[in-house]
Short mmCIF file of all heavy atoms in Angstrom, two decimals:
data_model
loop_
_atom_site.label_atom_id
_atom_site.label_comp_id
_atom_site.label_asym_id
_atom_site.label_seq_id
_atom_site.Cartn_x
_atom_site.Cartn_y
_atom_site.Cartn_z
N ARG A 121 186.74 -58.62 -69.55
CA ARG A 121 188.08 -58.42 -69.52
C ARG A 121 188.52 -56.99 -69.99
O ARG A 121 189.36 -56.37 -69.43
CB ARG A 121 188.85 -59.48 -70.42
CG ARG A 121 188.86 -60.88 -69.88
CD ARG A 121 189.29 -61.80 -70.86
NE ARG A 121 189.33 -63.26 -70.38
CZ ARG A 121 190.45 -63.83 -69.83
NH1 ARG A 121 191.52 -63.09 -69.75
NH2 ARG A 121 190.44 -65.00 -69.44
N GLU A 122 187.88 -56.59 -71.16
CA GLU A 122 188.25 -55.40 -71.75
C GLU A 122 187.27 -54.25 -71.61
O GLU A 122 186.14 -54.34 -72.04
CB GLU A 122 188.51 -55.56 -73.30
CG GLU A 122 189.04 -54.31 -74.11
CD GLU A 122 189.04 -54.60 -75.51
OE1 GLU A 122 188.81 -55.69 -75.97
OE2 GLU A 122 189.45 -53.68 -76.25
N VAL A 123 187.56 -53.16 -70.89
CA VAL A 123 186.71 -52.08 -70.61
C VAL A 123 186.81 -51.06 -71.78
O VAL A 123 187.86 -50.37 -71.87
CB VAL A 123 187.03 -51.41 -69.29
CG1 VAL A 123 186.07 -50.24 -69.03
CG2 VAL A 123 187.02 -52.35 -68.18
N LEU A 124 185.81 -51.08 -72.55
CA LEU A 124 185.79 -50.13 -73.72
C LEU A 124 185.40 -48.64 -73.29
O LEU A 124 185.88 -47.77 -73.86
CB LEU A 124 184.79 -50.56 -74.82
CG LEU A 124 185.13 -51.94 -75.40
CD1 LEU A 124 184.08 -52.12 -76.60
CD2 LEU A 124 186.49 -51.95 -75.99
N SER A 125 184.58 -48.61 -72.23
CA SER A 125 184.19 -47.31 -71.68
C SER A 125 183.64 -47.48 -70.23
O SER A 125 183.14 -48.57 -69.89
CB SER A 125 183.13 -46.68 -72.49
OG SER A 125 181.87 -47.40 -72.46
N SER A 126 183.76 -46.43 -69.48
CA SER A 126 183.16 -46.44 -68.11
C SER A 126 182.97 -45.06 -67.70
O SER A 126 183.90 -44.30 -67.53
CB SER A 126 184.16 -47.11 -67.08
OG SER A 126 183.60 -47.10 -65.76
N VAL A 127 181.76 -44.66 -67.61
CA VAL A 127 181.23 -43.33 -67.31
C VAL A 127 180.47 -43.30 -66.01
O VAL A 127 179.60 -44.09 -65.79
CB VAL A 127 180.40 -42.77 -68.38
CG1 VAL A 127 179.92 -41.36 -68.04
CG2 VAL A 127 181.14 -42.74 -69.78
N VAL A 128 180.97 -42.50 -65.06
CA VAL A 128 180.37 -42.37 -63.74
C VAL A 128 179.98 -40.89 -63.47
O VAL A 128 180.83 -40.01 -63.65
CB VAL A 128 181.17 -42.87 -62.60
CG1 VAL A 128 180.45 -42.71 -61.25
CG2 VAL A 128 181.54 -44.31 -62.87
N SER A 129 178.68 -40.60 -63.22
CA SER A 129 178.35 -39.31 -62.81
C SER A 129 177.89 -39.28 -61.34
O SER A 129 177.03 -39.89 -60.86
CB SER A 129 177.00 -38.81 -63.60
OG SER A 129 176.67 -37.52 -63.28
N SER A 130 178.78 -38.53 -60.52
CA SER A 130 178.64 -38.53 -59.10
C SER A 130 177.61 -37.50 -58.65
O SER A 130 177.47 -36.43 -59.27
CB SER A 130 179.98 -38.22 -58.34
OG SER A 130 179.83 -38.10 -57.03
N GLN A 131 176.92 -37.80 -57.50
CA GLN A 131 175.89 -36.90 -57.05
C GLN A 131 176.38 -36.33 -55.68
O GLN A 131 175.64 -35.79 -54.89
CB GLN A 131 174.55 -37.70 -56.79
CG GLN A 131 173.89 -38.21 -57.96
CD GLN A 131 172.62 -38.93 -57.64
OE1 GLN A 131 172.05 -38.77 -56.62
NE2 GLN A 131 172.11 -39.78 -58.57
N VAL A 132 177.62 -36.50 -55.38
CA VAL A 132 178.17 -36.01 -54.08
C VAL A 132 177.76 -34.63 -53.77
O VAL A 132 177.38 -34.30 -52.60
CB VAL A 132 179.69 -36.15 -54.11
CG1 VAL A 132 180.29 -35.40 -52.84
CG2 VAL A 132 180.12 -37.66 -54.04
N ASP A 133 177.85 -33.70 -54.72
CA ASP A 133 177.50 -32.28 -54.49
C ASP A 133 176.10 -32.10 -54.01
O ASP A 133 175.70 -31.24 -53.30
CB ASP A 133 177.81 -31.40 -55.66
CG ASP A 133 179.34 -31.35 -55.96
OD1 ASP A 133 180.10 -31.61 -55.04
OD2 ASP A 133 179.72 -31.03 -57.05
N LEU A 134 175.16 -32.97 -54.53
CA LEU A 134 173.77 -32.86 -54.30
C LEU A 134 173.45 -33.32 -52.82
O LEU A 134 172.52 -32.78 -52.20
CB LEU A 134 172.87 -33.76 -55.16
CG LEU A 134 172.93 -33.37 -56.70
CD1 LEU A 134 172.13 -34.49 -57.47
CD2 LEU A 134 172.32 -32.01 -56.82
N HIS A 135 174.27 -34.29 -52.36
CA HIS A 135 173.96 -34.80 -51.00
C HIS A 135 174.85 -34.26 -49.85
O HIS A 135 174.59 -34.48 -48.69
CB HIS A 135 174.10 -36.31 -51.03
CG HIS A 135 173.22 -37.06 -52.02
ND1 HIS A 135 171.92 -37.16 -51.82
CD2 HIS A 135 173.50 -37.42 -53.31
CE1 HIS A 135 171.36 -37.83 -52.88
NE2 HIS A 135 172.29 -37.95 -53.76
N ALA A 136 176.01 -33.54 -50.19
CA ALA A 136 176.95 -33.19 -49.18
C ALA A 136 176.36 -32.41 -48.12
O ALA A 136 176.63 -32.49 -47.02
CB ALA A 136 178.09 -32.40 -49.93
N ARG A 137 175.46 -31.40 -48.43
CA ARG A 137 174.91 -30.48 -47.37
C ARG A 137 174.01 -31.21 -46.43
O ARG A 137 173.73 -30.72 -45.36
CB ARG A 137 174.17 -29.35 -48.07
CG ARG A 137 172.97 -29.71 -48.88
CD ARG A 137 172.55 -28.45 -49.65
NE ARG A 137 171.37 -28.58 -50.42
CZ ARG A 137 170.13 -28.23 -50.10
NH1 ARG A 137 169.92 -27.57 -48.99
NH2 ARG A 137 169.06 -28.38 -50.91
N PHE A 138 173.56 -32.43 -46.79
CA PHE A 138 172.71 -33.24 -45.97
C PHE A 138 173.57 -34.19 -45.09
O PHE A 138 173.06 -34.90 -44.21
CB PHE A 138 171.61 -33.95 -46.70
CG PHE A 138 170.84 -33.11 -47.52
CD1 PHE A 138 170.89 -32.96 -48.96
CD2 PHE A 138 169.74 -32.40 -46.91
CE1 PHE A 138 170.09 -32.21 -49.61
CE2 PHE A 138 168.89 -31.58 -47.66
CZ PHE A 138 169.02 -31.45 -49.08
N GLY A 139 174.80 -34.36 -45.35
CA GLY A 139 175.67 -35.23 -44.61
C GLY A 139 175.52 -36.70 -45.02
O GLY A 139 176.00 -37.63 -44.34
N GLY A 140 174.77 -37.00 -46.13
CA GLY A 140 174.59 -38.38 -46.52
C GLY A 140 173.60 -38.42 -47.74
O GLY A 140 173.06 -37.33 -48.09
N VAL A 141 173.39 -39.55 -48.15
CA VAL A 141 172.57 -39.74 -49.41
C VAL A 141 170.99 -39.55 -49.05
O VAL A 141 170.53 -40.26 -48.10
CB VAL A 141 172.68 -41.03 -50.11
CG1 VAL A 141 171.76 -41.19 -51.22
CG2 VAL A 141 174.20 -41.21 -50.43
N VAL A 142 170.31 -38.75 -49.73
CA VAL A 142 168.89 -38.51 -49.56
C VAL A 142 168.26 -39.38 -50.70
O VAL A 142 168.32 -38.99 -51.91
CB VAL A 142 168.49 -37.04 -49.72
CG1 VAL A 142 167.00 -36.96 -49.54
CG2 VAL A 142 169.21 -36.26 -48.60
N PRO A 143 167.53 -40.42 -50.41
CA PRO A 143 167.06 -41.32 -51.41
C PRO A 143 166.17 -40.71 -52.49
O PRO A 143 166.34 -40.95 -53.66
CB PRO A 143 166.17 -42.31 -50.59
CG PRO A 143 166.86 -42.37 -49.30
CD PRO A 143 167.25 -40.98 -49.06
N GLU A 144 165.29 -39.74 -52.17
CA GLU A 144 164.35 -39.07 -53.15
C GLU A 144 165.20 -38.27 -54.08
O GLU A 144 164.95 -38.23 -55.32
CB GLU A 144 163.41 -38.21 -52.48
CG GLU A 144 162.46 -37.41 -53.34
CD GLU A 144 161.58 -38.25 -54.24
OE1 GLU A 144 161.41 -39.47 -53.98
OE2 GLU A 144 161.02 -37.74 -55.20
N ILE A 145 166.21 -37.53 -53.57
CA ILE A 145 167.03 -36.71 -54.41
C ILE A 145 167.93 -37.62 -55.39
O ILE A 145 168.03 -37.36 -56.54
CB ILE A 145 168.03 -35.81 -53.55
CG1 ILE A 145 167.14 -34.78 -52.81
CG2 ILE A 145 169.02 -35.15 -54.48
CD1 ILE A 145 168.05 -33.91 -51.88
N ALA A 146 168.31 -38.78 -54.77
CA ALA A 146 169.19 -39.62 -55.61
C ALA A 146 168.40 -40.20 -56.79
O ALA A 146 168.88 -40.31 -57.98
CB ALA A 146 169.68 -40.76 -54.77
#
């Protein structure tokens, strides 16, 4: 019920030039 914290680190910049998620890089 109560979210004390929520941290998300996005990898969008790493995968953008490939046009999609690259599993090994992820």
Side-chain angles (χ1 to χ4, degrees):
R121 291 171 179 262
E122 183 183 0
V123 180
L124 298 184
S125 66
S126 181
V127 178
V128 180
S129 180
S130 173
Q131 299 180 17
V132 168
D133 291 343
L134 295 177
H135 303 280
R137 65 192 179 102
F138 301 104
V141 177
V142 180
E144 175 66 16
I145 294 176

